[in-house]
Amino acid sequence: MNRIGSLRRIGAIAAAVMAAGALVAASPALSQQQGKLKVGLMLPYTGTYAALGTAITNGFKLAIEENGGKVAGREIEYFVVDDESDPAKAPENANKLIKRDNVDVMVGTVHSGVALAMSKLARDNNTLLIIPNAGADDITGPLCAANVFRTSFSNSQMGIAMGKVMADQKKKTAVTITWKYSAGEESIGGFKETFEAGGGKVVKELFLPFPQVEFQPLLTEIAALKPDVVYAFFAGSGAVKFVKDYAAAGLNKTIPLVGPGFLTDGTLEAQGEAAQGMLTTLHYADGLNNPKNNAFRATYMKAYKVEPDVYAMQGYDAAQLLIVGMNAVKGDTAKRAELVAAMGAAKLDSPRGSLALNKGHNPIHDIYLRKVEGKENKYVSVAIKNLTDPPRGCKL
Ligand code: BEZ
């Protein structure tokens, strides 16, 4: 499906949702008065993270359709920008939505570097922003803002969880490997913090520029270092190639490869045998047995004919959060203070389990340990319950 292909799926989604009996009554008088709600989707639809952008878009639209195709009685008009996961183009791309299209809310993005630029523009222009993936720690830390929300995670969270799991398993030495930008660096930082606090030692940190995938020289270095474990942050098509190259080099036979769940989420079809048995930590797992997740997975599958992944779930929750805020002000975005207060206080019934936000508007949620079995990231245990970030200088 191409980047706007999901728009054509709307009919199918609506049918699926109606079949699930989930339509909610709208408020025609109000919607006519206030006009359409302009939603700007700034996501990657090409490049390494293209599949992630599409899944987020699908998840977001699914939640809107479940709400009758409207938000607080207002129809939606979508404005779509492909950000290409390119931080250099981010200010221009975000300004298309803010200044040219005059959107009521921006939803984006996947890449932390792009999201840092987007959140600056959102702050400067007081545009409502919901981040459905990018985990840059600072956005909900020192750079936090009343109008900026995140329904995904912060980058250090998954590393913190896996560092603890590996220290508990009495692993003594680790090598880390990632792309050199904030997502990878912060993920590794979280891992190092808890792994070393638990008695382990990160003996080498390996980097390559985003989105390069020439892993061979670094795999040779890992083979020579012989650590007890390798912790890697990669996602999208980069994760597919890294996991396959690691196995092709025979390293998976002697040195377990672990990481945040992005290493194996939405990628198992392509990774196949190479990913089997891998342990990862994430705020989602395929088979989470709660009513919301069961319904979400069934409806998503019916609408899009593919299994949802963590990115689809985060997009779904971005729309759920918007709906809570908009319902609180009966669709009147001018009531900004009430709208953001309602979003900040939201308690969402998320497919991941319960979802609340901390002071900086970052998720407080359980982080799960998962194991790859066949084409599933199977739930193993709760690695950390109700993980929340420290304030990190957020002044809200
Ligand atoms: C990030 O850049 O923040 C990111 C990208 C893909 C997966 C997870 C995080």
Side-chain angles (χ1 to χ4, degrees):
M1 202 185 334
N2 67 24
R3 68 183 173 115
I4 323 283
S6 56
L7 284 171
R8 278 186 238 118
R9 285 254 180 220
I10 289 296
I13 304 167
V17 169
M18 279 193 314
L23 280 179
V24 169
S27 167
L30 200 66
S31 68
Q32 274 160 24
Q33 231 175 47
Q34 294 170 325
K36 288 184 178 172
L37 184 76
K38 294 181 169 190
V39 175
L41 300 177
M42 179 163 153
L43 289 159
Y45 295 103
T46 52
T48 303
Y49 290 157
L52 288 59
T54 300
I56 289 168
T57 306
N58 289 348
F60 186 91
K61 289 182 174 173
L62 183 65
I64 298 293
E65 288 307 312
E66 284 185 2
N67 202 49
K70 297 180 180 181
V71 173
R74 293 176 68 175
E75 280 175 13
I76 308 281
E77 184 171 8
Y78 288 106
F79 296 82
V80 181
V81 170
D82 177 6
D83 69 35
E84 302 168 51
S85 295
D86 186 348
K89 295 182 185 163
E92 190 191 333
N93 281 329
N95 267 326
K96 283 183 194 157
L97 296 175
I98 295 171
K99 302 256 164 69
R100 183 194 66 190
D101 302 328
N102 199 19
V103 297
D104 295 298
V105 55
M106 280 197 294
V107 177
T109 188
V110 168
H111 185 289
S112 277
V114 177
L116 281 159
M118 270 182 101
S119 62
K120 181 180 178 341
L121 281 157
R123 283 194 307 277
D124 292 352
N125 293 281
N126 198 23
T127 304
L128 189 61
L129 169 64
I130 306 178
I131 301 170
N133 185 73
D137 287 353
D138 283 358
I139 293 177
T140 49
L143 303 177
C144 72
N147 56 315
V148 175
F149 295 83
R150 180 150 58 198
T151 57
S152 49
F153 54 86
S154 53
N155 289 321
S156 51
Q157 288 184 331
M158 308 313 150
I160 285 171
M162 187 50 91
K164 180 179 172 298
V165 172
M166 287 300 112
D168 288 350
Q169 287 191 8
K170 307 285 180 239
K171 299 272 190 280
K172 289 293 166 217
T173 57
V175 168
T176 62
I177 178 165
T178 186
W179 285 309
K180 191 151 186 61
Y181 81 101
S182 51
E185 289 169 323
E186 290 167 358
S187 187
I188 265 85
F191 176 80
K192 196 171 173 181
E193 181 186 317
T194 49
F195 184 60
E196 296 200 338
K201 179 86 193 135
V202 173
V203 294
K204 184 94 190 189
E205 296 179 28
L206 300 170
F207 294 100
L208 70 167
F210 177 88
Q212 282 184 20
V213 289
E214 284 82 38
F215 299 119
Q216 215 48 56
L218 301 175
L219 293 176
T220 305
E221 213 173 328
I222 291 171
L225 286 162
K226 295 192 179 56
D228 292 343
V229 64
V230 169
Y231 178 87
F233 168 92
F234 295 105
S237 57
V240 172
K241 180 152 191 309
F242 182 74
V243 169
K244 289 179 93 169
D245 285 4
Y246 194 88
L251 287 171
N252 60 340
K253 304 242 166 23
T254 50
I255 311 169
L257 172 61
V258 300
F262 316 113
L263 206 50
T264 58
D265 229 85
T267 53
L268 289 177
E269 194 80 46
Q271 288 165 335
E273 196 49 39
Q276 295 309 306
M278 277 179 62
L279 293 179
T280 60
T281 41
L282 200 66
H283 51 298
Y284 190 58
D286 292 327
L288 284 183
N289 191 14
N290 66 62
K292 187 71 178 183
N293 191 42
N294 293 338
F296 165 70
R297 294 193 74 88
T299 318
Y300 190 96
M301 183 65 180
K302 195 160 186 181
Y304 301 108
K305 313 285 177 258
V306 288
E307 293 285 352
D309 56 19
V310 66
Y311 310 106
M313 181 278 284
Q314 294 168 167
Y316 183 86
D317 282 348
Q320 289 212 96
L321 185 64
L322 178 64
I323 289 165
V324 167
M326 290 293 288
N327 282 345
V329 295
K330 299 194 169 50
D332 185 356
T333 47
K335 293 186 175 157
R336 173 58 71 87
E338 283 172 49
L339 192 154
V340 299
M343 288 171 73
K347 301 273 175 284
L348 296 186
D349 183 13
S350 164
R352 77 189 80 183
S354 68
L355 172 62
L357 301 179
N358 75 357
K359 214 170 121 226
H361 299 159
N362 194 57
I364 305 169
H365 47 190
D366 294 345
I367 309 296
Y368 306 108
L369 177 64
R370 309 116 43 90
K371 185 176 184 181
V372 176
E373 279 180 32
K375 290 186 181 155
E376 272 189 62
N377 283 289
K378 283 227 162 115
Y379 168 88
V380 175
S381 60
V382 175
I384 303 188
K385 184 107 196 119
N386 274 332
L387 182 61
T388 185
D389 285 9
R392 289 202 194 100
C394 170
K395 294 272 183 329
L396 282 183

